[in-house]
Amino acid sequence: MRFDDRLETTLRQTDDEGLGLSAKWQQLVDILAQNAQDFDPELVVLGLQKVRLFMGAVPADIREQTVRALAGRLQSVPLMLLLSGDVPAVASAAIKGALLDDHEWAEIVPQLSTRAIRFLQNRRDLGPMTLCALAQWSSAELVLPDEAVDPSTPKVISAPVATALEASASDQRQEEHFDVTIDPVDLIRFEADEYGTICWVEGAPLGAIVGVDIAEPAFDDGPGPDAYGAAAFRQKMPLENARMRLCGAPAIAGDWRINAVPFFDGVSGRFNGYRGVLRRPNLSETAVIAESYADEAEHIQQLLHELRTPLNAIIGFSEIIEQQLFGPVTEDYRILAGNILHDAERLLSGFDDLSMAATIETGTYVAEEGVTECEWLSQKLAERLHGLTDLLRVRLNLVQAHPVLPFAVDHQTAERLFSRLLSAVIVGCEPGEVLDGCFRTELGLNVTNRFVLTLPQKLRDLNESELFGSGSGSIDDNDAAPLLGLGFSLRLARSLARSFGGDLRFSHQALIVSFPALSDGRLNYKNEERE
């Protein structure tokens, strides 16, 4: 019979100090993580004691790297419990990388610190027993009496688990005392690691926020950002007024806005995470659509579907009359049919915009993956807007500062966004006015494509709230104006851009659209503009 003596051999080494300490700690953690059945239980206890003893002497970044390397191999319950009481980065890595079954997770939920439980709640592969245990913990977390976390309370657990629990007992005592009378919080400062896990907060109970993930969109009723915030995180771009939902304690539960920036190591340039604030939304903002509004949006979708059917029939009959497909028609009837066709197509376009706005606002919009070349986009926009510019006698100049990298967005979305934006602004031009737009690639840590559109004089006189507002006076009264108004078109374009990690801003009498660019490593950028 083969006997595994690796643990005994490692423990027999005497270099508990000096240069070999870090290596010994890593070796012990690696061996204990595998939960080998041949190990003597007493040696396991001794090994866990050594891991705990050396933990403070081994640099946190080394501990984190060691634990992350165990992802998918960390099968030891007592070791996982011990590591879950470490600093947030290590605890997060242990929870995310542990390979435990449903029964094991459910059994240790009451023994985890509040912070560790927050990390565990972010896993998407938990079984029904674990989810039930987490639900029971969540309902009781704010009413734990002092004696509920007394480490002297008898528990029926194995010796290895007892050892690990002892290591995190202090952390539990500090974090599991919540005050049920805490006033609602309006501003929270936070820091998230490079994986998007919040690991430090100020202004709110530690256990209520630590462990929340800002890298993945909120799922079902769980915490998290909207798709725009998650996309911005993936691109390492600033998060500005991204929507966020927090759950749990009444003091922090509800809708929030995130404003945060990425930060990097000053020497290596390595991305280290985000620092920023969470704030309650203003009255004019909505962080996450309420369930009642989601139901209303679904009803809107159903209504639009029912309206499209007769509208498509009207469009079809109008085309038959206008094109005289069934025989000759007088000129008056052809003109009337043409007007009906124009109005019906305008209505249909408005229905499409309203439908897309509803899916974005309810979080059901799915951003398609794709790539769009700037040359193709410019040509399609020129073709699509030719009739409108001729009608209003407006000259549209679209130029490129070559080379412009491809947009990291699909063709349909790119054409829809820029055509809605440009058509809405063209309507605000006076006859004979020139509208200039420039595509440009901005170099830096995150390569971004920007489109700068100089506004016509009539729109320059508006402030941002009027420009993006619900009405723009005589502009929206124009027969060629977007059906739902200038403000709606601009807000829809902004929502579309944010769904892909971009944005739409009003700055210095111009609209600036930003989108992630698809970098191929060839950035020989020349400040040369071409029409």
Side-chain angles (χ1 to χ4, degrees):
M1 182 179 67
R2 182 178 179 182
F3 181 74
D4 191 339
D5 61 350
R6 291 175 299 160
L7 180 58
E8 182 178 4
T9 302
T10 304
L11 291 173
R12 196 181 301 121
Q13 298 173 3
T14 57
D15 54 345
D16 288 2
E17 298 180 358
L19 297 177
L21 182 60
S22 178
K24 185 173 181 179
W25 187 88
Q26 295 179 64
Q27 189 176 7
L28 279 174
V29 170
D30 185 74
I31 294 173
L32 291 170
Q34 301 173 40
N35 201 24
Q37 299 297 320
D38 291 337
F39 292 154
D40 187 332
E42 294 184 1
L43 293 179
V44 173
V45 172
L46 181 58
L48 291 169
Q49 290 174 342
K50 291 287 186 180
V51 169
R52 177 190 174 191
L53 178 64
F54 297 160
M55 188 175 289
V58 179
D61 59 339
I62 294 180
R63 301 201 306 271
E64 179 187 356
Q65 293 172 12
T66 302
V67 177
R68 289 197 185 281
L70 296 175
R73 297 191 297 119
L74 180 50
Q75 304 176 43
S76 170
V77 172
L79 179 62
M80 200 284 300
L81 283 169
L82 177 58
L83 295 174
S84 70
D86 202 343
V87 297
V90 177
S92 174
I95 296 292
K96 289 181 179 180
L99 187 62
L100 306 183
D101 60 33
D102 189 22
H103 181 269
E104 289 173 323
W105 278 124
E107 191 175 52
I108 66 173
V109 163
Q111 303 166 13
L112 291 172
S113 67
T114 302
R115 181 177 62 203
I117 286 182
R118 295 296 182 188
F119 290 136
L120 180 59
Q121 288 175 323
N122 288 325
R123 289 189 57 142
R124 297 289 179 255
D125 58 349
L126 301 178
M129 295 176 62
T130 308
L131 293 174
C132 180
L134 287 172
Q136 293 176 349
W137 172 88
S138 177
S139 64
E141 62 174 327
L142 297 178
V143 294
L144 285 175
D146 291 346
E147 55 269 24
V149 291
D150 186 350
S152 63
T153 302
K155 297 176 182 179
V156 183
I157 55 177
S158 64
V161 175
T163 304
L165 285 176
E166 182 184 353
S168 60
S170 176
D171 183 45
Q172 285 181 304
R173 287 194 294 271
Q174 293 177 5
E175 294 185 0
E176 293 186 351
H177 286 199
F178 287 94
D179 185 356
V180 296
T181 62
I182 293 178
D183 294 331
V185 178
D186 294 324
L187 183 69
I188 303 173
R189 302 184 184 278
F190 75 92
E191 181 174 314
D193 62 20
E194 67 269 33
Y195 298 96
T197 303
I198 295 180
C199 55
W200 173 86
V201 296
E202 180 181 79
L206 181 67
I209 308 294
V210 168
V212 173
D213 194 345
I214 67 170
E216 297 293 335
F219 181 76
D220 290 339
D221 296 326
D226 61 1
Y228 155 64
F233 183 93
R234 290 195 299 271
Q235 298 293 329
K236 307 299 185 292
M237 298 174 64
L239 279 72
E240 299 189 8
N241 296 323
R243 297 169 177 175
M244 181 75 182
R245 178 172 59 201
L246 295 179
C247 307
I252 58 93
D255 300 341
W256 293 82
R257 291 280 186 174
I258 312 177
N259 287 275
V261 294
F263 65 97
F264 304 84
D265 185 89
V267 177
S268 65
R270 177 176 177 267
F271 170 65
N272 285 338
Y274 274 77
R275 293 192 181 107
V277 297
L278 292 165
R279 64 172 178 83
R280 292 287 188 181
N282 300 324
L283 292 177
S284 60
E285 298 172 328
T286 304
V288 176
I289 302 301
E291 183 177 352
S292 59
Y293 188 85
D295 293 339
E296 181 181 344
E298 184 177 346
H299 293 156
I300 290 176
Q301 294 278 32
Q302 183 177 356
L303 176 61
L304 291 175
H305 175 72
E306 294 175 355
L307 289 174
R308 281 193 183 98
T309 301
L311 190 59
N312 285 326
I314 292 173
I315 291 175
F317 283 115
S318 299
E319 290 176 337
I320 290 174
I321 295 174
E322 185 189 37
Q323 299 175 27
Q324 305 182 86
L325 298 179
F326 288 174
V329 179
T330 64
E331 185 65 21
D332 290 340
Y333 276 111
R334 290 184 62 193
I335 294 175
L336 181 60
N339 293 336
I340 293 174
L341 178 62
H342 173 267
D343 291 341
E345 289 177 340
R346 187 163 171 255
L347 275 173
L348 191 60
S349 177
F351 289 172
D352 292 340
D353 288 349
L354 190 58
S355 176
M356 173 165 286
T359 58
I360 292 175
E361 287 301 308
T362 54
T364 57
Y365 177 74
V366 179
E368 299 289 341
E369 295 184 359
V371 177
T372 300
E373 296 286 348
C374 191
E375 292 280 359
W376 178 90
L377 180 60
S378 298
Q379 182 177 354
K380 292 294 291 186
L381 292 174
E383 295 173 357
R384 185 164 184 170
L385 300 172
H386 178 72
L388 182 61
T389 54
D390 284 353
L391 175 66
L392 300 178
R393 289 181 292 158
V394 174
R395 181 182 175 186
L396 175 63
N397 285 337
L398 297 179
V399 298
Q400 303 173 36
H402 280 259
V404 178
L405 295 175
F407 289 87
V409 60
D410 64 282
H411 284 181
Q412 182 179 359
T413 301
E415 185 180 358
R416 176 188 289 269
L417 186 153
F418 285 101
S419 63
R420 293 295 190 272
L421 172 65
L422 287 169
S423 60
V425 175
I426 288 172
V427 175
C429 294
E430 297 290 345
E433 199 165 2
V434 178
L435 189 63
D436 294 318
C438 178
F439 292 97
R440 182 183 301 273
T441 295
E442 300 287 342
L443 304 183
L445 184 63
N446 299 297
V447 184
T448 304
N449 279 350
R450 290 191 177 180
F451 176 69
V452 180
L453 180 65
T454 304
L455 291 176
Q457 187 60 50
K458 189 185 296 185
L459 297 185
R460 293 181 193 177
D461 297 334
L462 303 177
N463 58 38
E464 185 172 6
S465 61
E466 292 172 330
L467 196 63
F468 285 86
S470 58
S472 301
S474 60
I475 299 173
D476 288 340
D477 294 334
N478 192 313
D479 290 340
L483 178 67
L484 300 173
L486 171 66
F488 180 88
S489 296
L490 295 182
R491 294 195 302 273
L492 176 61
R494 182 171 58 186
S495 297
L496 270 175
R498 288 182 172 179
S499 297
F500 287 83
D503 205 355
L504 170 61
R505 302 175 178 279
F506 173 66
S507 177
H508 303 294
Q509 297 183 327
L511 290 173
I512 303 175
V513 182
S514 61
F515 258 124
L518 190 68
S519 176
D520 60 359
R522 297 173 294 176
L523 302 179
N524 299 321
Y525 186 84
K526 298 179 181 179
N527 191 14
E528 173 188 353
E529 293 187 352
R530 300 180 184 176
E531 293 192 12

